[in-house]
Amino acid sequence: MEPEQAAKPFLDPESIENSKFVAVELRERLDKVEEQVLAQFSSTATYTTLAQQGAEHARAEARADHERLQTTIIGLLDRLRAEMRERLDALEARTVTAGASGPIADAARIAELEERTNVVITALHAYGQENVRLRQQVDELLAKQMRTDGWLVSSGGTSDLALR
């Protein structure tokens, strides 16, 4: 506003109808603003709920994948153990029938077991690193999606979001 306009009164002090009209118009505008604020709040709450459900769904899927992988690894280790037991039994049966059990055969068997154990340990280590990397990617994608949708977290992480 210009300084000259600020000095002029907003309403004509002698006009009662004019002030009533302005009051009604202000009330209607206030009602519209209130409706817009309530609509924005509702949409905000909806987006928060959807984001929280998405995060919980991603966590549940990650947990299920982790449990499936654990079960698979345990099954493979059991299978490896059973195969090793069968081979050792077969080797013992061969050495008993051949009548010779030498330290060279035992050393070769132990070396083979150590090699296979190292392979399993390496695979488990790689699985652990991959799991950590996937978790980081899920967290990054969730944070990116929330930034894209206009949700910024100023303190805490995305897991701290909740409707109250």
Side-chain angles (χ1 to χ4, degrees):
M1 293 179 90
E2 296 295 321
E4 298 87 33
Q5 291 176 344
K8 292 180 185 177
F10 181 69
L11 300 174
D12 184 17
E14 297 161 6
S15 171
I16 294 175
E17 292 90 25
N18 193 17
S19 62
K20 286 182 181 179
F21 174 75
V22 170
V24 168
E25 186 177 333
L26 285 175
R27 179 63 183 172
E28 288 173 359
R29 286 183 181 184
L30 183 62
D31 287 342
K32 286 180 184 178
V33 169
E34 183 180 12
E35 287 175 16
Q36 290 174 347
V37 168
L38 289 175
Q40 185 66 34
F41 177 77
S42 297
S43 66
T44 300
T46 302
Y47 285 130
T48 302
T49 302
L50 292 174
Q52 186 176 12
Q53 289 173 350
E56 289 172 1
H57 181 68
R59 280 191 202 106
E61 280 186 23
R63 234 181 277 119
D65 287 345
H66 178 71
E67 289 173 2
R68 276 193 303 272
L69 286 172
Q70 260 184 334
T71 302
T72 302
I73 289 173
I74 290 170
L76 289 173
L77 287 173
D78 286 342
R79 195 167 121 199
L80 177 65
R81 188 179 299 131
E83 287 178 11
M84 295 306 293
R85 200 174 289 131
E86 288 175 11
R87 288 184 182 184
L88 287 175
D89 290 344
L91 283 174
E92 284 179 11
R94 250 191 293 165
T95 55
V96 169
T97 56
S101 171
I104 295 173
D106 291 341
R109 211 172 37 216
I110 289 173
E112 184 182 352
L113 282 174
E114 286 177 351
E115 183 180 336
R116 287 187 178 188
T117 303
N118 287 336
V119 168
V120 169
I121 289 171
T122 303
L124 287 174
H125 182 67
Y127 160 74
Q129 289 177 339
E130 181 70 14
N131 193 5
V132 167
R133 188 179 64 77
L134 288 173
R135 283 183 183 189
Q136 289 172 345
Q137 286 179 346
V138 166
D139 287 343
E140 289 171 5
L141 287 172
L142 181 61
K144 179 181 176 185
Q145 184 66 35
M146 292 182 80
R147 278 192 306 274
T148 303
D149 288 345
W151 291 96
L152 296 177
V153 179
S154 60
S155 63
T158 55
S159 62
D160 296 333
L161 291 176
L163 285 176
R164 295 181 187 194

